[in-house]
């Protein structure tokens, strides 16, 4: 197969591993910097161009689109979808997963466990919002943040009030969430491919920190998932319309709760923690599933 990996940097661990796995399995692979692509959208023969070449006869596209270029990355991916290439994750699903509020609404509607979460716009309802999530301690999250940036713990009612008022003053969009104290600074990353969790790890925040992101100094170890955790992760990915996803869970008193569903999960942490060839499994999934024009949305939306 002819496979394109959309990635801004071919030296990133995940990009390298995916390219390697393509080659090992006998595919022709090209790593393409998303921001340097341009496209012909209005003709009868839609096309994507890169460094003077027209990218033709592409069977499958692996999007590794960073949060900062979601808009343009999704547009390029959509163009490949219009041309009939099979996207590992569809543009519509990626765009959806990048909006934290929208994602939580989709998951809630599907009956998937979530932390109590509130969102408001007007300046008058700070108290009601705090009450909605069961009072302090609570977590406030900027909707635009990634890798734990913009995720703040307010330990007391007063801190929660000042924090919410400050974010409002800045006209920022944010969520207010029940603090899952019993998770003890750990979360679980489940790597879902299709209808299976193929690898999982528990991440532990460093001393004095409640955010367990590896980028924030968290450490990873193996974890055995319960059947309920497994099915929650698989359902969350499916409801978001993602074939491959990193689903982050917290172990709460009321069962597993989903914090986030990531459409471009990093492979380094999870492959190193589990010793599994996740990249190889992703390419095997593409081999099994890819057909021309096989998308649910066909580049719409
Ligand atoms: P980001 O998308 O920026 O990584 P997350 O929402 O995943 O932000 O939060 C970052 C980390 O903070 C999580 O991995 C988790 O360890 C911790 N965390 C987030 N929300 C909660 C919560 N409601 N209760 C307890 N810990 C949380």
């Amino acid at each position: 197969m002819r496979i394109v990996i959309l990635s801004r940097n071919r030296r990133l661990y995940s990009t390298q591993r995916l390219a390697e796995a393509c080659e090992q399995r006998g595919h022709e692979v090209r790593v393409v910097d998303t921001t340097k692509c341009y496209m012909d959208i209005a003709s009868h023969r839609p096309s994507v161009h890169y460094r003077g070449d027209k990218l033709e006869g592409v069977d499958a596209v692996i999007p590794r689109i960073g949060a900062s270029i979601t808009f343009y990355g999704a547009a390029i991916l959509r163009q490949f979808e219009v041309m009939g290439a099979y996207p590992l994750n569809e543009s519509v699903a990626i765009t959806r997963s990048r909006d934290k509020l929208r994602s939580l609404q989709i998951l809630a509607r599907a009956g998937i466990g979530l932390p109590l979460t509130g969102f408001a716009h007007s300046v008058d309802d700070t108290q009601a919002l705090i009450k909605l999530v069961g009072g302090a301690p609570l977590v406030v999250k900027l909707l635009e943040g990634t890798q734990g940036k913009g995720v703040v713990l307010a330990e007391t009612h007063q801190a929660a009030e000042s924090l919410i008022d400050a974010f409002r003053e800045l006209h920022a969009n944010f969520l207010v969430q029940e603090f899952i104290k019993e998770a003890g600074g750990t979360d679980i990353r489940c790597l879902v491919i299709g209808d299976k969790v193929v690898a999982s790890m528990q991440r532990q925040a460093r001393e004095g920190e409640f955010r367990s992101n590896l980028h924030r100094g968290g450490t990873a170890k193996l974890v055995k998932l319960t059947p309920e955790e497994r099915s929650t992760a698989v359902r969350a990915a499916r409801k978001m319309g993602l074939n491959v996803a990193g689903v982050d869970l917290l172990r709460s008193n009321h069962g597993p709760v989903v914090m986030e569903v990531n459409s471009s999960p990093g492979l380094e942490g999870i492959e190193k923690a589990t010793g599994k060839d996740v990249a190889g499994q992703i390419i095997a999934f593409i081999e099994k599933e890819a057909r021309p024009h096989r998308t649910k949305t066909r580049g719409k939306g």
Side-chain angles (χ1 to χ4, degrees):
M1 281 201 290
R2 192 173 281 179
I3 300 176
V4 161
I5 301 178
L6 289 178
S7 168
R8 291 200 68 186
N9 183 352
R10 63 181 60 243
R11 281 186 293 275
L12 293 176
Y13 178 94
S14 304
T15 307
Q16 254 180 26
R17 287 281 301 122
L18 287 162
E20 237 169 61
C22 284
E23 277 163 7
Q24 272 166 10
R25 301 177 71 93
H27 303 295
E28 189 187 312
V29 58
R30 182 151 184 199
V31 179
V32 164
D33 180 344
T34 325
T35 57
K36 299 211 168 82
C37 288
Y38 51 100
M39 52 193 163
D40 177 357
I41 53 173
S43 82
H44 294 303
R45 292 182 59 80
S47 57
V48 177
H49 301 256
Y50 180 64
R51 295 185 188 276
D53 294 345
K54 201 166 165 179
L55 299 175
E56 284 177 309
V58 176
D59 297 300
V61 181
I62 302 178
R64 302 285 314 173
I65 296 168
S68 61
I69 60 151
T70 301
F71 176 75
Y72 194 66
I76 293 288
L77 181 59
R78 193 156 52 235
Q79 182 79 352
F80 276 112
E81 290 168 6
V82 171
M83 289 157 56
Y86 174 79
L88 177 64
N89 280 330
E90 290 183 36
S91 56
V92 171
I94 293 174
T95 312
R96 208 188 266 147
S97 75
R98 289 289 156 83
D99 180 335
K100 284 192 195 201
L101 181 58
R102 187 174 174 192
S103 302
L104 293 178
Q105 287 174 316
I106 291 170
L107 298 173
R109 192 166 59 191
I112 291 169
L114 300 171
L116 284 175
T117 304
F119 178 77
H121 192 68
S122 133
V123 244
D124 326 317
D125 34 28
T126 301
Q127 296 302 334
L129 201 56
I130 294 175
K131 209 164 143 211
L132 194 77
V133 300
L138 54 78
V139 176
V140 180
K141 293 185 186 185
L142 278 178
L143 285 188
E144 291 80 24
T146 59
Q147 300 177 352
K149 284 178 215 132
V151 178
V152 191
L153 173 62
E155 299 196 66
T156 63
H157 185 87
Q158 225 176 9
E161 215 175 70
S162 325
L163 195 59
I164 292 171
D165 288 345
F167 275 167
R168 279 212 167 115
E169 217 30 59
L170 296 168
H171 302 287
N173 280 317
F174 59 90
L175 298 173
V176 177
Q177 203 163 63
E178 158 196 22
F179 176 52
I180 310 291
K181 189 161 188 268
E182 59 273 24
T186 69
D187 76 349
I188 296 174
R189 160 58 61 97
C190 304
L191 204 300
V192 178
I193 304 180
D195 56 4
K196 282 200 191 78
V197 176
V198 301
S200 55
M201 63 178 169
Q202 186 169 49
R203 297 178 297 200
Q204 172 75 54
R206 67 180 153 77
E207 192 72 26
E209 169 67 77
F210 79 102
R211 295 165 299 179
S212 53
N213 306 66
L214 299 183
H215 288 98
R216 313 212 69 84
T219 50
K221 65 171 193 185
L222 285 177
V223 64
K224 187 156 170 43
L225 299 184
T226 65
E228 192 189 4
E229 287 163 352
R230 252 172 217 288
S231 72
T232 300
V234 169
R235 283 179 55 231
R238 192 187 310 135
K239 288 294 169 193
M240 296 299 297
L242 294 166
N243 293 316
V244 170
V247 180
D248 294 340
L249 301 175
L250 293 177
R251 283 181 167 162
S252 84
N253 289 338
H254 47 98
V257 290
V258 174
M259 245 183 335
E260 187 165 40
V261 182
N262 194 316
S263 59
S264 281
L267 301 185
E268 185 167 13
I270 196 114
E271 284 198 338
K272 289 188 171 160
T274 62
K276 289 196 174 148
D277 176 13
V278 176
Q281 296 198 50
I282 289 176
I283 307 307
F285 176 84
I286 293 176
E287 289 165 4
K288 195 158 73 59
E289 296 293 323
R291 313 259 190 291
H293 294 288
R294 190 174 197 185
T295 48
K296 292 193 190 80
T297 52
R298 293 253 176 102
K300 292 189 197 117

